[in-house]
Amino acid sequence: MKVNAPAPVGHAMVELTEAEAVHVLHPRTIIAFQGAPTLREDKFMDLAGMYRKKKWIRSRIQGPSQFVLGLPAGCTLEPIDIPADSDLMFDFRHVLLYSEGMGMNSRIQKFKTAWITHEWVRMRFSGPGTLGILVTGDLAVLQLDENRPLYVEKSSLVAYPEKAGIKLTVYGNPLASQHMQVQWELTGKGPVLIQTGSRDPQLEDQLRGDSVIKRVLREVLPFGSIYIK
């Protein structure tokens, strides 16, 4: 499977050889298809997939063919090669497609973590195969350390090793911890995948040329972010 996904353009092109097939979990993202009509077959998802993706239908596409996926603004499709012994656990919301033959297993999260994040299940995929991961911005890969924790903003974490130590926290001095989003603290071995799209509205305001006075007033006045444009 060959994936071409230029970041600024908002689409991805997927090319399949005759021996390849993929499952697309959001069929409506397919905006163009080139190949024999019989090479696309839509099927009902299982109940677990319907619940997690809020979708009823998935598409199986066989090669030789190519198709174009329309992506949300600011998002890119990143192909991830998954070996047979992979223990990465993914947020299923980020999975847009996967190659046929891959295994999927649900992993129930700890009650304390699930209560805070409202995320009861993560998916572990076994290969060999390829996942198509939809992320905001680009995908960054960081390596865990058993003694030095890695802190990742909660909404940016895409996947982490199943055996990693993980908990929700904040870090830094009191001022830092009071003004940051909730963070995942991770330790262990293996890669961590994060999406890199910026979520700092103050930075966006600054890039748009907002004055310092406006930015300060939005911070200090009640409902300043609503009334001061």
Side-chain angles (χ1 to χ4, degrees), residues 38-199:
T38 55
L39 295 177
R40 172 174 173 170
E41 181 184 8
D42 285 14
K43 299 181 177 180
F44 285 103
M45 298 181 70
D46 58 25
L47 290 177
M50 292 178 186
Y51 173 76
R52 288 191 294 270
K53 301 295 287 185
K54 306 297 188 293
K55 298 290 181 182
W56 290 87
I57 303 292
R58 61 180 170 86
S59 292
R60 179 186 183 273
I61 298 182
Q62 172 75 44
S65 62
Q66 62 181 5
F67 57 95
V68 178
L69 300 170
L71 306 180
C75 292
T76 54
L77 181 67
E78 297 284 348
I80 305 294
D81 292 328
I82 303 295
D85 59 349
S86 173
D87 68 341
L88 285 177
M89 295 202 300
F90 286 83
D91 184 338
F92 198 49
R93 293 172 295 184
H94 288 279
V95 180
L96 182 56
L97 59 85
Y98 60 92
S99 56
E100 189 163 80
M102 297 187 67
M104 292 185 294
N105 292 290
S106 300
R107 292 291 192 265
I108 305 298
Q109 301 298 285
K110 294 179 180 178
F111 178 80
K112 181 179 179 181
T113 302
W115 177 260
I116 298 174
T117 63
H118 306 290
E119 184 184 72
W120 292 93
V121 176
R122 284 219 164 208
M123 294 298 296
R124 176 175 171 178
F125 291 85
S126 57
T130 302
L131 290 180
I133 302 298
L134 186 65
V135 296
T136 303
D138 293 320
L139 189 71
V141 181
L142 303 175
Q143 294 295 323
L144 287 180
D145 187 284
E146 292 184 330
N147 300 312
R148 186 173 60 177
L150 170 67
Y151 297 93
V152 179
E153 184 179 325
K154 182 171 67 68
S155 60
S156 296
L157 184 62
V158 175
Y160 58 88
E162 184 173 15
K163 294 182 179 179
I166 180 168
K167 62 182 180 180
L168 289 170
T169 185
V170 291
Y171 65 94
N173 66 0
L175 184 61
S177 62
Q178 291 168 13
H179 290 271
M180 69 170 57
Q181 301 293 330
V182 174
Q183 306 281 317
W184 292 98
E185 179 186 319
L186 300 106
T187 54
K189 294 182 178 180
V192 170
L193 311 183
I194 63 172
Q195 58 181 1
T196 62
S198 173
R199 290 173 177 78

